[in-house]
């Protein structure tokens, strides 16, 4: 934040963050925590919007169960896109929060090449190139990496881990892929599509 010319002076947080008070004071940041059952409207509203966006994406996917890794990346994806546009009542009416901090405007060409949850074949670049290794791998798109070059994150069907690639081909999702993703979810202990709870 400092390199962008911003200085945080006040942090509004839940009571669980009280142990950070001394560390924040050393950085000249005042911590304002809420009491038990006291709500901080700005945080509550933003959390509600993230849950709504996450639910919207979940309802576009064909999976009955979602692996935890995909869910975590889905929430990050929603937050990234919420910060990619100017917020109502925010610091600027024309510049997004992300652009204010990074000084980089998001590019449609690099950030919107593939929707979250799409089935893709990621292009492998084996070295040496004349071997018999596969040239592509099945994966689920987890959104852009955030770099200038336009790399993307994917959920690999081979090992259930996050991989990053620059080249991929979007394809229609076959039922076999749905079954594979749901098996990874079952291995994570997921029994149904996500439910949000207020804590």
């Amino acid at each position: 934040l400092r390199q962008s010319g911003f200085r945080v002076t006040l942090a509004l947080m839940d009571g669980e963050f009280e142990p950070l008070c001394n560390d924040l004071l050393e950085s000249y940041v005042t911590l304002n925590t809420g009491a038990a059952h006291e709500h901080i409207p700005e945080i509550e509203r933003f959390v509600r919007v993230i849950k709504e966006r996450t639910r919207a994406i979940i309802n576009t996917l064909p999976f009955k169960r979602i692996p935890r890794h995909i869910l975590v990346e889905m929430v990050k994806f929603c937050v990234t896109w919420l910060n990619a546009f100017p917020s109502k009542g925010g610091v600027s009416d024309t510049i997004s929060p992300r652009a204010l901090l990074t000084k980089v405007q998001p590019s449609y060409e690099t950030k919107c090449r593939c929707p979250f949850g799409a089935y893709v074949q990621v292009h492998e670049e084996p070295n040496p190139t004349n071997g018999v290794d596969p040239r592509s791998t099945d994966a689920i798109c987890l959104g852009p990496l955030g770099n200038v070059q336009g790399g993307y994150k994917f959920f690999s069907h081979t090992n259930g881990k996050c991989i990053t690639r620059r080249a991929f081909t979007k394809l229609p999702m076959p039922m076999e892929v749905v079954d594979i993703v749901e098996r990874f979810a079952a291995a994570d202990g997921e029994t149904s599509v996500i439910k949000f709870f207020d804590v």
Side-chain angles (χ1 to χ4, degrees), residues 134-147:
R135 302 286 191 223
S136 66
T137 304
D138 292 344
I140 299 294
C141 180
L142 300 177
L145 266 174
N147 61 5

Side-chain angles (χ1 to χ4, degrees), residues 13 16-25 31:
M13 298 184 185
E16 298 93 45
F17 292 95
E18 192 64 44
L20 296 177
C21 186
N22 291 333
D23 292 338
L24 289 172
L25 279 174
L31 177 62

Side-chain angles (χ1 to χ4, degrees), residues 67 138 155 157-158 175-185:
D138 292 344
F155 180 80
H157 292 186
T158 308
M175 273 313 293
E176 297 83 32
V177 170
V178 174
D179 294 339
I180 290 169
V181 171
E182 289 182 354
R183 277 199 299 273
F184 278 114

Side-chain angles (χ1 to χ4, degrees), residues 21 34 41 45 47 56 64-65 72 91-92 113-114 136 149 173 184 188:
C21 186
R45 177 70 181 133
V47 167
K64 291 185 177 73
R65 295 182 286 190
V72 167
V91 176
S92 172
R113 293 170 46 207
C114 190
S136 66
Q149 299 91 329
M173 190 173 308
F184 278 114
D188 282 350

Side-chain angles (χ1 to χ4, degrees), residues 13-86:
M13 298 184 185
D14 290 331
E16 298 93 45
F17 292 95
E18 192 64 44
L20 296 177
C21 186
N22 291 333
D23 292 338
L24 289 172
L25 279 174
E26 289 174 11
S27 301
Y28 304 101
V29 177
T30 303
L31 177 62
N32 182 22
T33 57
H37 305 294
E38 183 179 18
H39 297 284
I40 300 170
E42 297 86 356
I43 296 171
E44 300 286 332
R45 177 70 181 133
F46 194 65
V47 167
R48 191 170 81 201
V49 170
I50 293 168
K51 286 180 180 180
E52 288 168 356
R53 298 299 193 278
T54 304
R55 273 190 211 99
I57 292 175
I58 287 171
N59 286 300
T60 66
L61 301 176
F63 315 120
K64 291 185 177 73
R65 295 182 286 190
I66 298 174
R68 285 188 195 129
H69 190 80
I70 291 179
L71 182 65
V72 167
E73 291 298 330
M74 189 184 307
V75 172
K76 288 181 188 176
F77 178 83
C78 291
V79 171
T80 297
W81 281 109
L82 284 169
N83 285 325
F85 295 96

